[in-house]
Amino acid sequence: MPKLLHIQSSPNIENSVSRSLSDQFVKRWAEHHHNVAVEVLDLAAEPLPHFGPAILQAAVTPPESMSDETRAAVALSDRLIRQLEDADILVIGSPMINFTICSQLKAWFDHVTIAGRTFEFSAPGVARGLLFGKKAFVIEARGGEYTDLPFSAFDFQEPLLKALLMFLGIFDASFIRAEGMRQREEDTDSIIRNAQDVVSRVAA
Ligand SMILES: Cc1cc2nc3c(=O)[nH]c(=O)nc-3n(C[C@H](O)[C@H](O)[C@H](O)COP(=O)(O)O)c2cc1C
C-alpha cells in the first residue's frame, strides 16, 4: 500500500493557510487514490530540537564512545529518516517566515539530510541524493507575492525547498502557492479559493 507522509510545519496551529490547504490536499488525494496509508508529522505540535552539538558529535564519534545525548539524537534522526524512506508521497505544508521556510521545517530537513543515509558524495565535491522514486507536493502560504520580479528575488522559500528536496534525490516536486494574503487583504478570499481549486485539481 502506498504511503503518504503529510508534514505540517506552520506554528499557526489554529488558523493556518498551509495547514488547511495541505489537509484538503491529503483528503482529496485519499478520496482519489485508494488504499493510501496516511501518516502525519506535525512539526509545530511536536517540535524537533535544533540540529545541535549532540548530533554533530555523531559524525566524529565511534558508536561505542557516544554520549547518551548523542545516541538519543542519532536515534531521533534515524527515526525521521526511516519515516521519510518509507513514504512514497510527501505532502508538505510550508508557511513563509522572514522570506524562507519556518525553523520547524528547517530542523526536520537538518535531521534527515545526513551523509551516507539520504545523500552521498560520489566523488570529491559531488553529492548524490539517495531517496529515489518519491513524489513531493509542497503547499506554500506567504503574505506577499513572489511570483514575479523584483519580489521573486526575495523568495528564499521555494528555491530552498526545491534544492533541499533535489539534494536528497526527490526531483519530482510540485509547488502550490497561496500568496499575497497580506499584500492584498481585500483579495484574501479569492486567493484562498484559487489555491483550493488548484489543490482540488492536482490532488485528484
Ligand atoms: C513571524 C512572521 C513572519 C512572516 N514573514 C513573512 C515574509 O517574510 N514574507 C511574506 O510574504 N509573508 C510573511 N509572513 C506572512 C505569512 O507567510 C502568512 O501569514 C502565511 O499565511 C503563513 O502561513 P500559514 O498561514 O500556513 O501559517 C510572516 C508571518 C509571520 C507570523
Side-chain angles (χ1 to χ4, degrees), residues 26-98:
V26 172
K27 190 163 174 275
R28 179 98 171 149
W29 183 277
E31 282 164 7
H32 285 261
H33 302 80
H34 293 300
N35 293 327
V36 66
V38 175
E39 188 173 359
V40 180
L41 176 64
D42 194 324
L43 301 171
E46 290 179 54
L48 297 172
H50 277 155
F51 191 89
I55 182 105
L56 210 58
Q57 282 304 312
V60 292
T61 314
E64 61 279 9
S65 312
M66 282 181 191
S67 68
D68 289 347
E69 272 179 315
T70 296
R71 256 181 242 285
V74 171
L76 173 63
S77 168
D78 275 350
R79 176 168 68 74
L80 294 166
I81 289 172
R82 275 199 305 275
Q83 185 181 45
L84 175 59
E85 284 171 341
D86 278 354
D88 303 288
I89 304 135
L90 283 181
V91 178
I92 302 176
S94 170
M96 179 186 272
I97 301 288
N98 295 327

Side-chain angles (χ1 to χ4, degrees), residues 162-178:
K162 275 185 188 150
L164 289 169
L165 290 168
M166 276 172 55
F167 191 71
L168 301 178
I170 304 172
F171 294 93
D172 189 355
S174 305
F175 290 79
I176 298 173
R177 304 178 195 137

Side-chain angles (χ1 to χ4, degrees), residues 10 12 15-19 95-99 141-144 146 181-182:
S10 172
N12 185 348
N15 200 20
S16 148
V17 175
S18 64
R19 279 179 181 272
M96 179 186 272
I97 301 288
N98 295 327
F99 303 108
R142 53 251 201 121
Y146 298 87
M181 293 84 70
R182 292 277 174 88

